[in-house]
Amino acid sequence: EGEGPFPMIAFHHAAHHPADIYDHYTSLHRHWASHGFIVASVDSSSNVIGVPQSWQNISDMSTFQLAAADMMLAESADPDSDLHGAVDPDLVFVSGHSRGGGASLISLWARPSLMGAICFEQVSPRLAQLAQGGTAVGTGINAPAAFPRLFCRNLSARTGMTLSPAPCFFTALSSQDTA
C-alpha cells in the first residue's frame, strides 16, 4: 500500500524437484511485501527440473532473474501500465535460494547498479573452484607451483568473487557439467 515508488526484489527459486518449487516461497514473498517491497518471483522450472546443474544452468537462472527485474522496471516506467511509478529503479535487489542464490550473485556481478543480493543457503561451492593450473590442459605441468593460487587471487580481486584452485584439476575439468 502507499504511493510508491517501492524497492523491488527479483527472486529465483532453487534448482530441484518438484516442479512447483516456486510455490513454497509465498510466505517469504508476502513477508517482504508487508515491509514495502515489490517481489518478482521467477519460475524457470523448465530450466532446472531434470537439467544437469552446470555453469550454463546457473547463468541461465541469472538471465531469467535479470529479465524479471527488467520487465518490472519497464512496466513501472510505462505511463499506461497499472504499475506506473511503482518500482524505485535505484532500489532493485536480487535474491534466491541455493542455486537461485548463486544466480543472484552472478546477477549482482553482471549488473553493478543493483543494490545487493540476498542469498539463502549454499550454492555449489565447486563452481568457485577453478581448474586453472597452467599448461597441459590445466594440469599444472610446467607451470610454477604458485600459479593456480596467484591466478585465483588476481581473478578474485578483479571480479569480487571468492575463487580458489580446484583440489584436483583433472576432476574439476571433467566434472563441470555436474557442478
Side-chain angles (χ1 to χ4, degrees):
E1 294 184 33
E3 296 289 319
F6 301 100
M8 184 189 73
I9 299 172
F11 182 85
H12 201 295
H13 56 79
H16 53 78
H17 202 65
D20 65 351
I21 186 67
Y22 58 94
D23 291 337
H24 300 289
Y25 299 105
T26 304
S27 61
L28 173 64
H29 298 162
R30 285 185 180 150
H31 175 75
W32 284 333
S34 75
H35 289 277
F37 285 85
I38 292 174
V39 181
S41 184
V42 176
D43 169 20
S44 68
S45 55
S46 62
N47 179 56
V48 298
I49 304 304
V51 175
Q53 295 185 356
S54 64
W55 176 254
Q56 185 61 54
N57 162 265
I58 201 168
S59 178
D60 288 346
M61 292 168 76
S62 168
T63 299
F64 299 146
Q65 184 178 52
L66 291 173
D70 291 342
M71 182 190 76
M72 293 298 291
L73 288 166
E75 287 294 314
S76 183
D78 181 354
D80 296 326
S81 171
D82 290 338
L83 294 175
H84 181 255
V87 178
D88 185 335
D90 295 323
L91 292 175
V92 177
F93 298 81
V94 288
S95 179
H97 171 224
S98 191
R99 287 182 70 78
S104 298
L105 294 175
I106 294 168
S107 295
L108 185 62
W109 177 77
R111 189 168 297 169
S113 62
L114 292 169
M115 285 300 296
I118 306 163
C119 303
F120 298 96
E121 292 193 28
Q122 179 175 339
V123 68
S124 299
R126 288 180 31 216
L127 291 175
Q129 294 178 342
L130 305 182
Q132 183 63 47
T135 60
V137 195
T139 63
I141 296 172
N142 298 325
F147 179 80
R149 182 179 48 78
L150 294 173
F151 177 85
C152 290
R153 183 174 64 194
N154 287 331
L155 190 57
S156 292
R158 288 175 179 245
T159 64
M161 301 170 75
T162 303
L163 305 169
S164 63
C168 175
F169 299 138
F170 284 115
T171 302
L173 283 171
S174 65
S175 63
Q176 286 303 307
D177 289 339
T178 62

